[in-house]
Amino acid sequence: MATGRTHRPATRSRGIPEATVARLPLYLRALTALSERSVPTVSSEELAAAAGVNSAKLRKDFSYLGSYGTRGVGYDVEYLVYQISRELGLTQDWPVVIVGIGNLGAALANYGGFASRGFRVAALIDADPAMAGKPVAGIGVQHTDELEHIIESNGVSIGVIATPAGAAQQVCDRLVAAGVTSILNFAPTVLTVPDGVDVRKVDLSIELQILAFHEQRKAGEEAGPDGSAAATAARAAAVAGDRKGPDGDMPAVMPA
């Protein structure tokens, strides 16, 4: 099996739109579930419903992969699993380092879905000397002093940052300088990276705020046109104004 540094996914060179790339994991998850049930074929309508998209968008997305299905039969499930896995780069081994082994970092280390999807946790790294050598998910935690050596010796190109916000940029800079070109950021801050480095941000508080917005809208619609919806919005705004994060005011919008 190839290692992460040997090949890069071909999606960009083949001109697949980023929006399509973002939906490919959804299709793969639905297809994997079908495969586990030994379902041989699936129609575009069935697969689209399982993935939460419309069938026309699905067919357009698959056309970028050169997969058009068979009229009256649908798509071959196993072939699509292979095709999407290959396009996403999941048919090779991707060594990953996780930096910041607090509660979140430890939970990520214990997540069993990495290995089954082509990702191998090569190292767990933390700045606390007291953590050095402690096993988490069967892997001994290593100190950040060893970060560059770990990346080089394991051929790591993907890093996961689960540190506090104040340490995230410095960790990011060291990862990039050591050769990491893709970063998954769980720290509640926006990272600055050079061209050629991809960052995906996961911020649970932002997602909850978006859900709160929709809940507020639904509450306002249920309240009716008697003015109570405006009062609901005002109360929500007051609560949001009083809420502070660990680093000060929470921004209303945090770009990915």
Side-chain angles (χ1 to χ4, degrees):
M1 179 177 285
T3 59
R5 285 283 178 86
T6 304
H7 299 91
R8 301 290 291 175
T11 53
R12 290 180 179 176
S13 62
R14 291 177 53 165
I16 298 178
E18 287 294 328
T20 296
V21 174
R23 288 189 289 270
L24 292 182
L26 304 179
Y27 301 139
L28 182 59
R29 180 175 60 189
L31 286 161
T32 300
L34 293 171
S35 176
E36 290 172 350
R37 303 203 316 264
S38 300
V39 176
T41 59
V42 62
S43 70
S44 59
E45 289 79 11
E46 292 168 333
L47 183 54
V53 303
N54 66 65
S55 58
K57 185 174 292 184
L58 178 144
R59 288 190 292 269
K60 179 66 173 178
D61 288 341
F62 284 179
S63 72
Y64 291 110
L65 308 181
S67 187
Y68 298 93
T70 303
R71 184 178 295 277
V73 176
Y75 294 92
D76 183 287
V77 170
E78 292 299 331
Y79 179 68
L80 265 186
V81 167
Y82 165 74
Q83 196 174 25
I84 294 176
S85 296
R86 181 191 63 190
E87 205 65 51
L88 289 172
L90 304 183
T91 55
Q92 55 192 318
D93 174 49
W94 292 102
V96 175
V97 296
I98 301 176
V99 185
I101 313 303
N103 291 334
L104 177 57
L108 293 171
N110 279 284
Y111 173 57
F114 285 131
S116 64
R117 290 165 173 80
F119 301 97
R120 171 175 55 87
V121 178
L124 306 177
I125 303 172
D126 197 272
D128 184 358
M131 288 290 294
K134 288 188 176 182
V136 175
I139 303 173
V141 176
Q142 301 179 70
H143 192 264
T144 49
D145 288 347
E146 303 179 66
L147 186 146
E148 286 78 9
H149 171 71
I150 291 167
I151 291 171
E152 181 179 1
S153 60
N154 288 278
V156 173
S157 56
I158 299 177
V160 178
I161 297 177
T163 66
Q169 185 63 57
Q170 182 182 18
V171 168
C172 174
D173 293 342
R174 289 182 64 186
L175 288 172
V176 171
V180 168
T181 51
S182 292
I183 294 173
L184 182 61
N185 178 33
F186 284 89
T189 188
V190 178
L191 299 176
T192 301
V193 296
D195 291 342
V197 176
D198 294 310
V199 176
R200 298 290 297 180
K201 179 166 178 53
V202 180
D203 193 318
L204 301 181
S205 67
I206 295 297
E207 299 304 321
L208 286 171
Q209 289 177 58
I210 293 171
L211 289 175
F213 167 81
H214 290 295
E215 285 301 311
Q216 174 182 285
R217 291 289 294 271
K218 286 185 283 188
E221 290 170 359
E222 292 172 0
D226 59 357
S228 55
T232 300
R235 286 194 298 271
V239 170
D242 290 339
R243 186 160 47 225
K244 305 287 184 180
D247 303 304
D249 294 336
M250 276 190 184
V253 177
M254 184 176 291

